[in-house]
Amino acid sequence: MYTQQVGLCKQIVREHYGPIVEAVVAVLAREGRLSLRQLVPRAKQTPRNVRQALAVLIQHGIVTHAMSKEGSLMVTYYSVCLKNILRLQRAGLYLALVEERMGSEGLAVFRTIMANGVSTICNVREVLGVAEMGKAAKLKFNAVVAKLVRDRYIIAVNTVDTITKADRIMQAEVSEVEKLTIPPTAKELLAIRRKILEREEEEYQSSNVVGIKRRASADISADHLSKLHMGADGRAVAFSSHGTGEQNGHSHANGEQQQVDSVDDKQFFRAYFDRLDVFLRNQQIVNYFTDKYNAGAGALLKAILRVTEQHTRTCRVKLSETVSSTQIFQHVSPDAPLVDAIDTSKDMFHQKYDASGNPVVEPSSKELSRERRSEIIFALLEVIHTDSSGIVAKVDERGTGQYRVNFERAAITLRERCVDALVHEKFGSVHARLLRVLRDKQKLDEKVVAQATMLPIAACRERLHDLALAGVIDTIEIPRSADRNPSRMFYLWYINSDKQMRSAMRFVYQAMSNVIERGAKEASARALLVAKTRRQDVIADPSLLTDGERKELQNLARIKQRLAVASVRLDSMLLVVYDTDPHSADLQLLQ
């Protein structure tokens, strides 16, 4: 836990929930697990306000609780999850991702559940006004909700989910130990803990999703259901040239009974952010190959990740499932820009001519033949799996090959890319070149570094010390003699990965705090003008605003837009340097 991280979380909570909730979160983040009796005087709030704040935080998954027996009493202790607070800044990315994959209908359902923290489908129906719609719109809503649950964009919530993860694991461990007749050995205890983690993984990979049930239903034309969409206010609307949704629901029903997925209305659901983080991480992997090669290579990586993401639970998974080249070929989008992605001909000039001497124009991606398309895809696969990053590996030569994504290598590559960008932005291109040399050559003396980077020794030493003060690189001492005299030692520069990631996280936390603080300052400086725009007479007659006030409002909107872009960019860096780290102690506890 970092001071910058706690400060950022306090700012985020204050922006979303207000100062009372911020005071409770600040105490829990600073002091750790506390009971209500300990929390009230430290937060300097009334017991009622503290209870209400805890209820809101538990509802949104920010605070968890656990009961402990102290004497004859059972005391409830509360703890805060800073990771879930940081995810509040990622809400826009989550909503954009759901809209891209599930459409406007899925976005309306997901946004309602995320805004409430935990909600039943019955409550979502009331908020979106589904009861007032026609039969076809209701069927469309049920199909969208079932797909969200089946694809785990939202998951069912049980009573144990609000208990702290560590306490839940300890309770399961105690119950397993009680089944034994003798105290377990260290080896048996390790096997029990591994069994508990495997049980959670099996429940996730199971085809029986909690909250889903099968039922018989009349088949509605898919062509008609595709005409349904959610309106701008989040309510579903049915468009048809022949009547209302109720009439069309009857006209398109063919009377045939089929098994469809149905969601339990009384089951509580919440947004599954771990799943969405996997999608965002995969998008960054796609962007890496797109920037390094071209859009065709990025489209191919996107197809591979789409096949494997079904079994990828969190960003801590190190290896994906194996994927055949046939599966990759089937999942590559028809619109993927494969025409100029790679040259598969043996002509050194690449340009082909017909019998008349005119250049042959390559057909578009949609017009490519199946043979030509497969030739380009297989050639791209050969390039991608031989990439120096080692993200895609070929694990089997049978047939056309089996491939696997190494997420651990992908996380290392993305973190190195992120650190390079931070160093280049803060210090300049020369410092970034020094960092890349040390990463490629490992431990080096400053003279060797100066020769490799073509810099004078004095300038090289100064820049190396800049990077060391920022925590990006470190030194190691190699003594020439047993007395370890400093004057008779070799000092080699190298990259300490753990220290480098900690420095990067502190920088990102501080930058995100600065963005939030700047936005609050700009808004407070124009608070009177913003209040004037909300008056009823100004809303009815915008001409009451002067030209200077309009320009000031436009300037405020432009500043907010820039700050929002900076916040998204910084949050993408945070996803890389923190959420994808498989060795993070916080992630090992929370996942």
Side-chain angles (χ1 to χ4, degrees):
M1 186 183 299
Y2 305 98
T3 305
Q4 295 87 349
Q5 183 185 22
V6 175
L8 173 62
C9 290
K10 289 167 59 178
Q11 289 178 321
I12 294 174
V13 171
R14 184 181 185 87
E15 184 180 3
H16 285 80
Y17 301 108
I20 296 177
V21 181
E22 178 200 1
V24 175
V25 169
V27 173
L28 289 175
R30 184 177 63 252
E31 304 287 343
R33 292 162 63 105
L34 294 174
S35 64
L36 185 62
R37 180 178 296 180
Q38 297 169 329
L39 184 57
V40 169
R42 287 175 171 82
K44 299 180 180 179
Q45 301 291 333
T46 63
R48 179 181 180 183
N49 287 344
V50 173
R51 289 193 188 96
Q52 292 177 347
L54 289 173
V56 171
L57 294 171
I58 292 174
Q59 175 84 2
H60 288 268
I62 295 174
V63 167
T64 54
H65 62 85
M67 300 187 68
S68 176
K69 189 173 183 180
E70 296 182 358
S72 59
L73 300 177
M74 293 296 293
V75 181
T76 303
Y77 285 89
Y78 301 92
S79 58
V80 64
C81 177
L82 298 183
K83 180 182 177 183
N84 288 340
I85 296 178
L86 296 173
R87 280 173 167 165
L88 294 174
Q89 290 295 96
R90 211 173 292 166
L93 294 177
Y94 291 148
L95 295 176
L97 181 64
V98 172
E99 184 178 18
E100 177 188 354
R101 290 173 171 246
M102 306 298 294
S104 57
E105 302 90 347
L107 173 64
V109 176
F110 182 86
R111 181 174 53 200
T112 303
I113 294 177
M114 189 174 70
N116 290 277
V118 175
S119 178
T120 61
I121 302 303
C122 182
N123 182 44
V124 175
R125 280 195 175 91
E126 293 179 3
V127 173
L128 300 181
V130 178
E132 304 171 0
M133 305 173 194
K135 181 178 180 180
K138 295 177 181 178
L139 290 173
K140 180 67 173 178
F141 173 83
N142 294 336
V144 168
V145 172
K147 185 171 177 58
L148 284 171
V149 177
R150 188 171 54 252
D151 293 346
R152 291 183 172 85
Y153 289 84
I154 57 177
I155 59 171
V157 178
N158 300 317
T159 54
V160 296
D161 290 336
T162 58
I163 301 176
T164 307
K165 180 74 172 181
D167 293 274
R168 207 159 64 235
I169 294 176
M170 286 190 292
Q171 291 175 5
E173 184 178 329
V174 170
S175 64
E176 291 292 334
V177 171
E178 289 177 350
K179 297 177 183 179
L180 303 176
T181 56
I182 58 175
T185 62
K187 186 177 181 180
E188 291 175 341
L189 193 59
L190 184 62
I192 289 174
R193 293 170 180 170
R194 189 181 296 112
K195 180 181 177 181
I196 294 172
L197 297 177
E198 290 176 353
R199 186 187 305 160
E200 291 186 358
E201 185 66 25
E202 289 176 0
E203 291 177 357
Y204 177 82
Q205 302 294 348
S206 174
S207 58
N208 298 323
V209 182
V210 179
I212 288 283
K213 55 185 178 180
R214 305 285 291 177
R215 66 178 179 84
S217 176
D219 183 29
I220 300 297
S221 171
D223 181 39
H224 172 67
L225 290 179
S226 64
K227 298 178 181 179
L228 300 174
H229 76 286
M230 292 290 181
D233 58 349
R235 296 175 176 268
V237 182
F239 289 97
S240 175
S241 58
H242 301 290
T244 63
E246 184 77 30
Q247 296 170 346
N248 282 280
H250 290 293
S251 63
H252 284 281
N254 55 20
E256 297 179 0
Q257 297 292 320
Q258 66 171 358
Q259 293 292 326
V260 297
D261 289 338
S262 176
V263 179
D264 187 2
D265 287 349
K266 297 181 180 180
Q267 175 67 52
F268 284 88
F269 291 90
R270 66 175 175 86
Y272 191 34
F273 297 120
D274 290 333
R275 176 89 166 146
L276 299 176
D277 285 341
V278 171
F279 297 153
L280 294 177
R281 189 272 315 273
N282 291 349
Q283 184 59 47
Q284 297 213 26
I285 298 175
V286 172
N287 294 340
Y288 169 76
F289 278 91
T290 301
D291 296 340
K292 187 172 184 178
Y293 294 103
N294 50 44
L300 193 62
L301 253 296
K302 186 176 182 179
I304 296 174
L305 294 171
R306 278 293 180 96
V307 179
T308 61
E309 68 186 13
Q310 181 180 0
H311 303 285
T312 306
R313 182 182 179 186
T314 66
C315 292
R316 291 182 60 238
V317 176
K318 296 182 179 181
L319 293 173
S320 72
E321 300 290 331
T322 56
V323 183
S324 66
S325 55
T326 304
Q327 290 176 297
I328 298 172
F329 178 82
Q330 293 173 350
H331 283 79
V332 174
S333 173
D335 300 331
L338 300 176
V339 176
D340 298 325
I342 191 171
D343 180 18
T344 57
S345 66
K346 298 182 180 180
D347 184 7
M348 63 179 296
F349 298 105
H350 181 56
Q351 182 64 61
K352 296 181 179 180
Y353 298 91
D354 56 15
S356 304
N358 299 320
V360 177
V361 180
E362 191 79 15
S364 62
S365 298
K366 292 184 178 181
E367 298 173 351
L368 287 175
S369 62
R370 184 179 180 85
E371 292 77 11
R372 176 61 178 160
R373 186 180 179 84
S374 61
E375 181 184 7
I376 295 175
I377 290 176
F378 292 148
L380 281 174
L381 282 173
E382 287 297 319
V383 173
I384 289 173
H385 94 267
T386 56
D387 184 73
S388 59
S389 63
I391 295 177
V392 179
K394 194 172 186 179
V395 296
D396 198 344
E397 296 288 346
R398 290 180 298 177
T400 53
Q402 300 278 337
Y403 298 87
R404 172 177 287 171
V405 180
N406 189 332
F407 291 121
E408 189 174 15
R409 286 296 312 164
I412 293 173
T413 303
L414 292 176
R415 287 199 295 271
E416 291 176 352
R417 189 186 185 197
C418 177
V419 172
D420 289 344
L422 291 175
V423 170
H424 187 277
E425 181 178 349
K426 188 173 183 179
F427 297 105
S429 58
V430 178
H431 291 77
R433 187 166 77 246
L434 284 170
L435 182 63
R436 288 193 295 269
V437 169
L438 287 175
R439 183 181 297 126
D440 294 337
K441 306 296 183 181
Q442 303 300 323
K443 299 177 177 66
L444 294 177
D445 181 65
E446 63 180 18
K447 295 180 181 179
V448 181
V449 176
Q451 293 175 358
T453 56
M454 296 180 290
L455 289 173
I457 294 181
C460 180
R461 184 184 299 116
E462 181 183 354
R463 287 167 171 80
L464 287 173
H465 282 285
D466 290 341
L467 294 176
L469 289 175
V472 179
I473 61 176
D474 208 347
T475 56
I476 185 172
E477 300 174 350
I478 301 178
R480 297 184 183 181
S481 57
D483 60 354
R484 302 184 68 88
N485 191 326
S487 62
R488 291 193 298 272
M489 279 190 182
F490 293 109
Y491 294 93
L492 303 181
W493 295 95
Y494 77 106
I495 293 178
N496 187 337
S497 300
D498 294 336
K499 185 177 180 180
Q500 187 182 76
M501 288 302 106
R502 290 195 296 267
S503 299
M505 280 190 281
R506 282 195 294 268
F507 176 82
V508 174
Y509 290 144
Q510 187 61 52
M512 293 180 71
S513 298
N514 294 341
V515 168
I516 295 176
E517 187 175 355
R518 176 63 184 275
K521 184 177 180 180
E522 293 289 343
S524 62
R526 301 170 178 84
L528 295 177
L529 179 58
V530 174
K532 181 179 178 180
T533 59
R534 295 173 181 173
R535 284 166 28 192
Q536 294 296 330
D537 56 339
V538 177
I539 294 176
D541 186 10
S543 62
L544 296 176
L545 294 173
T546 63
D547 294 339
E549 290 174 338
R550 291 193 186 93
K551 290 181 180 179
E552 195 66 24
L553 288 173
Q554 293 175 358
N555 187 33
L556 177 62
R558 184 166 57 253
I559 292 174
K560 285 185 176 181
Q561 184 179 8
R562 291 178 179 176
L563 292 176
V565 172
S567 179
V568 170
R569 178 171 171 265
L570 290 169
D571 189 76
S572 300
M573 291 183 178
L574 184 62
L575 176 67
V576 169
V577 300
Y578 178 68
D579 292 26
T580 60
D581 186 2
H583 305 294
S584 173
D586 293 338
L587 283 176
Q588 291 174 6
L589 177 64
L590 294 173
Q591 298 296 341

